[in-house]
Amino acid sequence: MTRPNTISAPFEFSRSLLTARRIGVRIDCHPIVDSTNQSAFETAAAGAPDGTVIIADAQRAGRGRLGRTWDSPAGSNLYLSILLRGPFFPPVVTSLPFLAAIAARDAIRELTGLTTQFKWPNDLMINSRKVGGMLVEARSAGGNTTLAVVGIGVNVNWPKDAMPDELKATATSLEQELGRQINRPGLLAALLNRFDSGYDRLRDEGSDWVMDDWSRNCLTLNHAVSVEIPTGTLTGLAEAVEPSGHLRLRHADGSMSRLSIDATLQLRPANNRTSTPGVT
């Protein structure tokens, strides 16, 4: 069956903008879904091919990390999920959120010239405020990861006065930073093209280059931080992010903690609280 060249919902998007070979082999656009990640898994169960992309103009229940809600108003931003079929080697799966961040950073720079940095574990930052985030979810069978969904959200044309009050001090959008609106289809195409080429390189060369690039542009690393965990507060130097996604936190006494990407924690500038070493 011939694929349509132009997709009109939620916004007009021409496949001619894509140079990607794998990513975007199928693109499903929706005015609104509960969650693009959820829709991607449902589409996968119905037989969607590797590289399928789910896009929504709005989400009713956009998912962030640790079960948090991702605010997803219509007509403003990018909400998409990329469906990848395995089996995968473990370093490929654990590198996907970092690869997605790199692809989004490069796409933003290509279209706007803005400098985007990363905050561990999954935030895109401009001028110390969050402009986007990643959520990778995987399914396994027989001990092998067979399916991964890479969710990406970018605040594009979202004016500050339209944001919820609780986000105004910590979030931003490309429109806020530039003072003008951004072409969403153009940004989408650039992001998919960047992810496609990076994904091929990740599979061919391994994850070292991904982690090196991401780490060089990470705001968290080489800074003193405190981390809130259920049993107290950890303080120390954010030393490195391992290929597994763990953050290595070096304490004042020389001991080290490995903090999971799935842990319930919050990074912030360190204060004078006592550190609690040895938590993994």
Side-chain angles (χ1 to χ4, degrees), residues 36-37 54-56 59 62-65 70-73 76-82 97 100-101 103-105 108 116 122-125 130-136 150-158 172-174 184 187-188 191:
T36 58
N37 270 24
I54 307 295
I55 306 164
Q59 299 180 106
R63 295 209 293 257
R65 211 173 134 260
W70 185 271
D71 286 280
S72 309
S76 302
N77 305 320
L78 283 185
Y79 319 112
L80 66 139
S81 295
I82 302 170
R105 175 203 64 191
I108 289 170
T116 307
N122 68 336
D123 291 348
L124 286 171
M125 309 291 290
K130 184 170 180 175
V131 74
M134 321 293 151
L135 178 65
V136 175
V150 182
I152 303 172
V154 181
N155 299 336
V156 185
N157 298 321
W158 200 8
T172 189
S173 69
L174 302 183
R184 286 194 294 164
L187 181 64
L188 171 64
L191 195 160

Side-chain angles (χ1 to χ4, degrees), residues 40 48 78 123 140 160 165 185 227-228 236 239 261 274:
L78 283 185
D123 291 348
S140 300
K160 188 172 183 177
D165 289 341
V227 183
E228 298 290 342
E239 192 172 71
I261 194 170
T274 302

Side-chain angles (χ1 to χ4, degrees), residues 8 114 140 205:
S8 58
L114 291 169
S140 300
E205 300 179 19

Side-chain angles (χ1 to χ4, degrees), residues 29-39 42 54-64 67-75 77 79-80:
C29 288
H30 303 276
I32 187 168
V33 297
D34 287 340
S35 155
T36 58
N37 270 24
Q38 177 182 323
S39 294
E42 293 169 353
I54 307 295
I55 306 164
D57 192 41
Q59 299 180 106
R60 300 183 192 91
R63 295 209 293 257
R68 297 177 183 129
T69 300
W70 185 271
D71 286 280
S72 309
N77 305 320
Y79 319 112
L80 66 139

Side-chain angles (χ1 to χ4, degrees), residues 73-157:
S76 302
N77 305 320
L78 283 185
Y79 319 112
L80 66 139
S81 295
I82 302 170
L83 169 62
L84 301 173
R85 292 192 178 274
F88 305 96
F89 293 113
V92 171
V93 177
T94 56
S95 297
L96 288 175
F98 305 106
L99 175 63
I102 290 169
R105 175 203 64 191
D106 290 347
I108 289 170
R109 182 168 55 198
E110 179 182 330
L111 262 71
T112 70
L114 291 169
T115 298
T116 307
Q117 294 176 291
F118 313 129
K119 180 182 175 183
W120 185 84
N122 68 336
D123 291 348
L124 286 171
M125 309 291 290
I126 296 180
N127 294 324
S128 299
R129 293 193 295 168
K130 184 170 180 175
V131 74
M134 321 293 151
L135 178 65
V136 175
E137 298 179 282
R139 302 279 169 87
S140 300
N144 294 318
T145 300
T146 58
L147 188 67
V149 169
V150 182
I152 303 172
V154 181
N155 299 336
V156 185
N157 298 321

